[in-house]
Every structure is written in C-alpha cells, then in structure tokens.
Amino acid sequence: MEPVILRTARLELTLPDPRDAPTIAAAAQDPEVPRWTTLPSPYTLGDAEDFIARSARRWAEGTELNWAIRREGAWVGMLGLAHVVHGGAAEIGYWMAAASRGQGLLTEAARAVVDFAFTELELARIEWRAVVGNISSARVARTLGFQYEGTLRQGLSDPRGRHDGWIAGLLRTDDRAPVDWPVL
C-alpha cells in the first residue's frame, strides 16, 4: 500500500520522514510520553530512525499506517492505525509534542484518520486503548465518538510491565456524537 497524505484545515498528515527523527526523539524526552505510550524510555535518535524505517515498511505491507502530524510543515505529533485488517478493524494510537497539546490539533488529525479508515480502508471498527488514567487521550477519543467499553485488567503491556487499560470502540455505523464515559 502506498502512503496516503491527509489534509485538514490546519494540518498535513504524511509518512514520517528521516528528517523528523531528531524532532521525534526530542519530543519523546517529555516524561508524559513514555508514561502513557509504549515508546521506549529513554528514547534515542536511533529509536526514532528505526520507527521511521519500520513505518515505511508497514505502510508497504498495509499492516500499520503511521502519519507524522505536521503544522505549517513542522512535525508536531504522531498518529497511527495498528493491526489493520482491510474491511475489519484497527487500533488507533497517538501522541503529541508538549508544545502542540491543548489546541485541538490531535482531535482534528484523528478525525481525518478515522474518516479515511472507514471510507478508504472500509474498516468496520476502530479500537482505542490507553493506560488507565490517560485522561487527555480519553477526551480525544470521546470527542471523536468512541464509546467506552470498559477496563482491561493488566490488559496492556510494554517493556516496563503490565498495566490496566481502558478500551473504547467506534463503529463505521456510529453517529460519532460524544457520549458520556464513566471515567471522564
């Protein structure tokens, strides 16, 4: 599968580029990033370079689609669909550089990816998962119309161990209006 560029009113979403590696590595030094994501900690320039190379391979395979979120050409975050099964399901994941949080950019970018996933990939379902307590990520998912489905006890793992996780889902047939979540 060829990488797809998505555009919104303020953003361009592209395949991450090797020139992004230093910026990604620097943004990943924010302690909030490894706290809520599966990124290695410490996160090195080599980690960023490996991620970018893997992203290109996985786009070609069609198994994981990662986009660099760009505002005015500058990298501001990452957004991806993992475990992509054409006509089936995928899991959405995202993170932003600290300076770009709180501006609605992530919601804007994620909405474009959700639209692409349901129309172009013909997915039936997109899942969102996060470590319990990741309120910022949950707010984005809720705004996009994801419905909270519960807590996965020790259901998420990363190199640091196992964690309780929240899970939510969005179906192609959902109206995408935000609904109440008991954890927010």
Side-chain angles (χ1 to χ4, degrees):
M1 176 175 199
E2 289 294 318
V4 173
I5 296 172
L6 302 175
R7 290 179 177 83
T8 70
R10 301 181 290 172
L11 304 169
E12 183 175 68
L13 285 68
T14 68
L15 181 68
D17 183 279
R19 292 170 293 189
D20 296 324
T23 307
I24 292 171
Q29 302 314 304
D30 173 359
E32 290 299 297
V33 174
R35 178 179 180 194
W36 301 118
T37 71
T38 58
L39 268 66
S41 181
Y43 193 84
T44 67
L45 179 60
D47 291 323
E49 292 166 341
D50 290 345
F51 167 75
I52 291 166
R54 273 194 320 274
S55 292
R57 286 194 309 274
R58 290 182 178 163
W59 259 102
E61 298 164 355
T63 58
E64 185 173 304
L65 313 178
N66 289 308
W67 286 270
I69 304 169
R70 300 180 191 288
R71 185 171 190 191
E72 299 175 0
W75 181 95
V76 297
M78 289 302 308
L79 197 152
L81 294 172
H83 318 294
V84 177
V85 178
H86 187 78
E91 181 180 337
I92 194 167
Y94 40 76
W95 68 280
M96 295 290 286
S100 297
R101 296 180 196 144
Q103 302 170 43
L105 300 175
L106 186 51
T107 301
E108 184 177 325
R111 187 169 282 117
V113 168
V114 166
D115 290 344
F116 170 80
F118 285 142
T119 58
E120 301 303 316
L121 300 177
E122 300 176 343
L123 295 185
R125 173 184 170 85
I126 301 173
E127 287 186 1
W128 165 89
R129 296 173 186 231
V131 173
V132 166
N134 191 343
I135 298 295
S136 296
S137 183
R139 285 184 178 140
V140 170
R142 181 186 173 279
T143 299
L144 294 169
F146 281 78
Q147 295 185 29
Y148 178 79
E149 296 174 339
T151 301
L152 303 167
R153 296 178 318 127
Q154 303 246 332
L156 302 179
S157 64
D158 62 30
R160 293 171 294 281
R162 300 203 63 81
H163 313 278
D164 290 350
W166 289 328
I167 185 169
L170 182 64
L171 305 181
R172 181 182 333 148
T173 55
D174 288 344
D175 68 13
R176 299 200 210 171
V179 295
D180 288 337
W181 284 28
V183 296
L184 293 178

